[in-house]
């Protein structure tokens, strides 16, 4: 479960990116995080991945309190959250298999576990048999599927995605979003930041709207939420 | 989480090969450091050994006054034994002295007709602390009935000087070279961490501990250090053997006793390995210390 209570984040240069954000995301939810550029969406994602810590308020992620977490605990908190970026962040000189294996090995998986798990996850994201390909031998949509597979490979409770379809054409975007919906249906909590109104309206999901570091709307189904 | 040695080691070695030239430079500088350190230490060690030999043989000769009668001469024994720092005192009569002398030059008839009178009664005095030779010499000179005293210090002083210079130079060089080695190894590893920054970012993102990320770099440093130590050891062996045979074949230096490498290779190998490991691990830790701050 994710719970933000009056969360403030002021960057070192004085920018007040978040000014009292509160919301709660239950296990198994699918949530769109929307809002204009610079409103603080990525800042929220960075809080959820432990990349930054809040300057005020409380952030609880899957049982970890981010204002009290120690450096030693942060890796274990991160294992509960899979992350997906707009630019995929695959390692160009590693095959699909090795990209996924890196993520598994990093948390102590054995070669045997890795060999057993990767084909299953690739199958889940629709890339069965693509193990030996390099990222530059895949389309953008396929690369993003590899990134999703990597986020899933350690079986996290939550997946957070910061504009995962930002680099893809509308058809690919719809496929990726549908894939995330399917992953959510299998029990993983999903939080997706997006600009694409059409996509948000296509899926009948909860939408949290952020403006100038505040929550200005939280409801089902539509991008346009009145204040 | 258990220590995945196989993985860390493999990663570390492949890091090493990914920067062939820098790794080569890092190993080279470690070899140079160890070789210089080893050579100076071995010179100091050998000077010390020769010094010890010399001091063991080095006795003070106290020549007895010609005018004393036999009883008085015998009586000196007790008096000399009471002198500070004297551990042993042996009387040698002029006849015995002549015999010893002739034995030393046994294939030379030139001296055989020397008269006994050329030689004097003497006491051979060994010291508890040969380093205090000068002070002891003065005390012995003060004993009544001793005409004059001979103590050879020149050679022993020579060895002391060699040993001291070798020690000081090696300590200074070791300090400088160790710092350079650590610096070069550290930079080699920084290059690898730079190459691998994407991978490291991803490993952190999925929840790798700092320890897990650190280990391959520690093994990389360790391997650089160990390679340096092994190469340096064999080069040291060659160099030492060359110097040893050079000394043995030289007319002027063959009096020096050089400890054979067989007798000292174990401590040399152990010290090289320890220094190599420390330099390697030290280099990798300085390289990744800052790097792991998120
Ligand atoms: N590292 C940082 N240091 C200082 N200010 C920052 C930093 N990151 C973001 N900001 C500022 O914080 C505010 C919120 O940024 P954030 O990246 O969260 O916006 P966003 O909603 O993700 O925007 P976009 O839709 O364009 O990605 C902006 O004013 C931004 O300039
Ligand atoms: Mg953003």
């Amino acid at each position: 479960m994710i719970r933000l209570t009056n969360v403030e984040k002021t960057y070192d240069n004085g920018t007040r990116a978040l000014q009292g954000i509160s919301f709660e995301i239950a296990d198994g939810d699918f949530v769109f995080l929307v809002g204009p550029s610079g409103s603080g969406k990525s800042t929220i994602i960075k809080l959820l991945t432990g990349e930054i810590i809040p300057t005020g308020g409380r952030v609880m992620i899957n049982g970890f309190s981010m204002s009290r977490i120690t450096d030693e605990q942060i890796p274990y908190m991160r294992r509960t959250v899979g992350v997906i970026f707009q630019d995929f962040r695959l390692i160009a000189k590693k095959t699909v298999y090795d990209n996924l294996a890196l993520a598994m090995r990093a948390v102590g998986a054995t070669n045997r576990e890795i060999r057993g798990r990767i084909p299953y996850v690739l199958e889940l994201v629709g890339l069965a048999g693509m193990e030996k390909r390099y990222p530059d031998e895949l389309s953008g949509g396929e690369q993003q599927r590899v990134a999703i597979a990597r986020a899933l490979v350690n079986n996290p409770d939550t997946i957070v995605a910061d504009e995962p379809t930002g680099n893809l054409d509308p058809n690919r975007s719809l496929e990726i979003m549908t894939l995330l919906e399917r992953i959510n249906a299998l029990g993983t909590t999903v939080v997706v930041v997006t600009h694409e109104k059409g996509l948000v309206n296509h899926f009948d999901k909860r939408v949290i709207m952020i403006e100038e570091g505040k929550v200005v709307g939280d409801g089902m189904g539509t991008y346009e939420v009145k204040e | 989480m258990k220590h995945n040695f196989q993985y860390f080691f493999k990663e570390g070695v492949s890091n090493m090969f990914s920067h062939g030239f820098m790794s080569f430079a890092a190993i080279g500088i470690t070899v140079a450091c160890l070789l210089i350190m080893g050579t100076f230490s071995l010179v100091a060690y050998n000077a010390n050994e020769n010094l010890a030999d010399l001091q063991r043989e080095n006795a003070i000769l106290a020549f007895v006054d010609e005018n004393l009668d036999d009883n008085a001469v015998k009586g000196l024994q007790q008096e000399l034994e009471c002198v500070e720092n004297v551990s042993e005192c042996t009387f040698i009569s002029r006849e015995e002295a002549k015999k010893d002398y002739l034995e030393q030059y046994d294939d030379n008839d030139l001296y055989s007709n020397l008269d006994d009178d050329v030689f004097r009664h003497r006491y051979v005095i060994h010291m508890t602390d040969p380093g205090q030779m000068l002070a002891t010499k003065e005390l012995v000179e003060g004993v009544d009935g001793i005409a004059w005293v001979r103590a050879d210090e020149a050679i022993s002083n020579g060895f002391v000087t060699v040993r001291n210079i070798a020690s000081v130079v090696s300590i200074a060089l070791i300090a400088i070279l160790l710092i350079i080695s650590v610096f070069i190894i550290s930079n080699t590893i920084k290059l690898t961490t730079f190459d691998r920054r994407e991978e490291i970012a991803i490993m952190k993102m999925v929840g790798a501990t700092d320890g897990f990320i650190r280990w391959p770099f520690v093994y990389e440093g360790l391997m650089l250090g160990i390679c340096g130590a092994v190469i340096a050891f064999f080069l040291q062996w060659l160099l030492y053997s060359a110097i040893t045979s050079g000394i043995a074949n030289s007319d002027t230096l063959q009096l020096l006793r050089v400890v054979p490498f067989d007798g000292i290779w174990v401590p040399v190998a152990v010290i090289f390995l320890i220094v190599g490991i420390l330099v390697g691990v030290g280099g990798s830790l300085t390289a990744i210390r800052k790097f792991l701050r998120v």
Side-chain angles (χ1 to χ4, degrees):
Chain A
M1 192 202 54
I2 293 167
R3 189 196 300 129
L4 277 68
T5 317
N6 291 320
V7 172
E8 312 247 338
K9 176 65 193 181
T10 306
Y11 283 108
D12 289 344
N13 65 1
T15 308
R16 296 187 63 202
L18 302 180
Q19 308 176 25
I21 295 268
S22 298
F23 61 75
E24 190 174 318
I25 299 172
D27 287 342
D29 266 8
F30 188 115
V31 177
F32 284 116
L33 209 53
V34 302
S37 186
S39 56
K41 305 181 296 297
S42 294
T43 303
I44 293 174
I45 294 293
K46 284 177 191 160
L47 285 173
L48 299 184
T49 61
E51 196 180 324
I52 58 176
I53 52 164
T55 46
R58 301 203 305 147
V59 178
M60 283 293 296
I61 302 163
N62 301 326
F64 293 89
S65 169
M66 297 311 288
S67 38
R68 266 189 253 135
I69 198 163
T70 61
D71 286 352
E72 285 71 34
Q73 282 178 311
I74 282 181
Y76 298 95
M77 173 263 148
R78 287 185 178 151
R79 291 176 194 192
T80 70
V81 181
V83 192
I84 301 161
F85 300 96
Q86 181 173 351
D87 57 0
F88 321 140
R89 302 200 189 171
L90 301 175
I91 298 190
K93 53 178 204 284
K94 283 190 188 292
T95 61
V96 167
Y97 184 92
D98 287 337
N99 266 283
L100 300 185
L102 174 74
M104 288 189 76
R105 218 169 259 127
V107 299
T110 62
N111 285 335
R112 188 195 180 86
E113 289 164 339
I114 292 170
R115 274 196 304 273
R117 175 84 175 156
I118 288 176
Y120 167 79
V121 181
L122 282 179
E123 164 102 55
L124 186 66
V125 300
L127 293 178
M130 301 274 209
E131 280 92 342
K132 293 210 173 74
R133 300 274 195 103
Y134 285 88
D136 63 6
E137 298 168 347
L138 299 170
S139 73
E142 287 166 339
Q143 288 184 48
Q144 191 59 297
R145 284 165 191 272
V146 177
I148 292 172
R150 183 180 61 197
L152 278 175
V153 81
N154 293 326
N155 205 15
D157 302 330
T158 308
I159 285 200
V160 298
D162 195 350
E163 302 194 38
T165 61
N167 282 350
L168 305 176
D169 65 51
N171 286 336
R172 289 326 116 212
S173 297
L174 188 61
E175 282 169 21
I176 291 294
M177 219 53 98
T178 309
L179 174 60
L180 289 174
E181 189 188 31
R182 224 175 74 231
I183 288 162
N184 173 246
L186 294 172
T188 310
T189 310
V190 175
V191 181
V192 185
V193 169
T194 185
H195 273 123
E196 289 168 73
K197 200 164 144 184
L199 269 181
V200 173
N201 291 338
H202 183 274
F203 296 89
D204 190 27
K205 300 291 183 189
R206 179 175 166 200
V207 180
I208 298 175
M209 189 158 183
I210 312 293
E211 253 173 50
E212 291 176 355
K214 298 189 190 78
V215 176
V216 294
D218 187 346
M220 294 302 289
T222 43
Y223 193 112
E224 254 81 32
V225 182
K226 291 281 163 288
E227 281 172 56
Chain B
M1 191 162 66
K2 83 181 217 310
H3 187 81
N4 194 344
F5 172 77
Q6 208 192 341
Y7 170 74
F8 293 137
F9 184 76
K10 225 177 73 197
E11 290 289 298
V13 170
S14 95
N15 284 351
M16 216 171 101
F17 283 106
S18 71
H19 287 293
F21 178 75
M22 273 304 279
S23 298
F24 178 77
I27 292 173
I29 204 82
T30 308
V31 169
C33 163
L34 285 170
L35 212 52
I36 291 170
M37 179 187 100
T39 304
F40 276 95
S41 307
L42 289 172
V43 167
Y45 174 71
N46 274 293
N48 218 16
E49 284 292 295
N50 278 286
L51 190 62
D53 287 353
L54 211 66
Q55 286 178 335
R56 234 169 281 128
E57 291 163 11
N58 232 11
I60 294 176
L61 292 183
F63 296 94
V64 179
D65 192 332
E66 291 295 285
N67 304 320
L68 291 184
D69 60 38
D70 282 1
N71 266 346
V73 171
K74 293 263 149 64
L76 277 173
Q77 171 104 26
Q78 224 177 2
E79 217 172 316
L80 285 171
E81 276 171 353
C82 293
V83 172
E84 206 185 315
N85 197 32
V86 171
S87 64
E88 204 189 324
C89 183
T90 322
F91 177 68
I92 295 178
S93 65
R94 47 170 83 90
E95 295 78 20
E96 283 168 328
K98 182 185 174 187
K99 214 176 108 219
D100 285 352
Y101 191 80
L102 292 177
E103 256 167 29
Q104 231 178 42
Y105 298 91
D106 54 0
D107 43 56
N108 198 333
D109 293 332
L110 196 67
Y111 307 106
S112 57
N113 53 358
L114 280 174
D115 198 36
D116 281 0
D117 287 350
V118 175
F119 300 93
R120 288 181 171 199
H121 290 312
R122 69 194 60 176
Y123 280 95
V124 178
I125 298 167
H126 284 94
M127 289 154 289
T128 322
D129 175 9
Q132 300 292 316
M133 187 187 254
L134 203 66
T136 312
K137 182 187 171 197
E138 277 170 12
L139 289 174
V140 173
E141 276 168 343
V143 174
D144 273 344
I146 298 297
W148 64 286
V149 178
R150 203 180 84 197
D152 290 327
E153 286 163 290
I155 303 175
S156 98
N157 282 344
F159 279 107
V160 171
T161 311
V162 170
R163 183 196 55 186
N164 290 348
I165 290 176
S167 311
V168 170
V169 170
S170 54
I171 288 168
L173 275 175
I174 289 165
I176 294 166
L177 287 164
L178 284 182
I179 291 168
I180 295 176
S181 291
V182 169
F183 180 78
I184 302 262
I185 289 181
S186 160
N187 275 305
T188 309
I189 290 167
K190 267 185 203 155
L191 269 189
T192 330
T193 58
F194 184 75
D195 260 13
R196 302 213 146 192
R197 64 197 182 284
E198 279 184 322
E199 262 172 71
I200 291 170
I202 285 161
M203 290 197 283
K204 291 191 143 195
M205 183 183 85
V206 300
T209 57
D210 282 357
F212 182 88
I213 294 169
R214 213 176 276 146
W215 276 113
F217 301 110
V218 172
Y219 279 107
E220 183 183 357
L222 195 64
M223 286 313 293
L224 291 173
I226 290 175
C227 284
V230 170
I231 295 170
F233 175 77
F234 286 106
L235 288 179
Q236 183 75 77
W237 189 353
L238 286 179
L239 187 68
Y240 195 84
S241 309
I243 292 173
T244 308
S245 67
I247 287 175
N249 294 330
S250 146
D251 295 337
T252 47
L253 293 173
Q254 61 179 326
L255 287 176
L256 292 174
R257 185 170 73 88
V258 181
V259 182
F261 201 69
D262 292 9
I264 48 171
W265 76 269
V266 176
V268 170
V270 169
I271 290 168
F272 274 28
L273 207 57
I274 289 173
V275 173
I277 288 171
L278 289 180
V279 164
V281 172
S284 55
L285 291 182
T286 38
I288 57 185
R289 198 188 48 213
K290 278 185 201 142
F291 193 76
L292 283 173
R293 304 263 173 273
V294 190

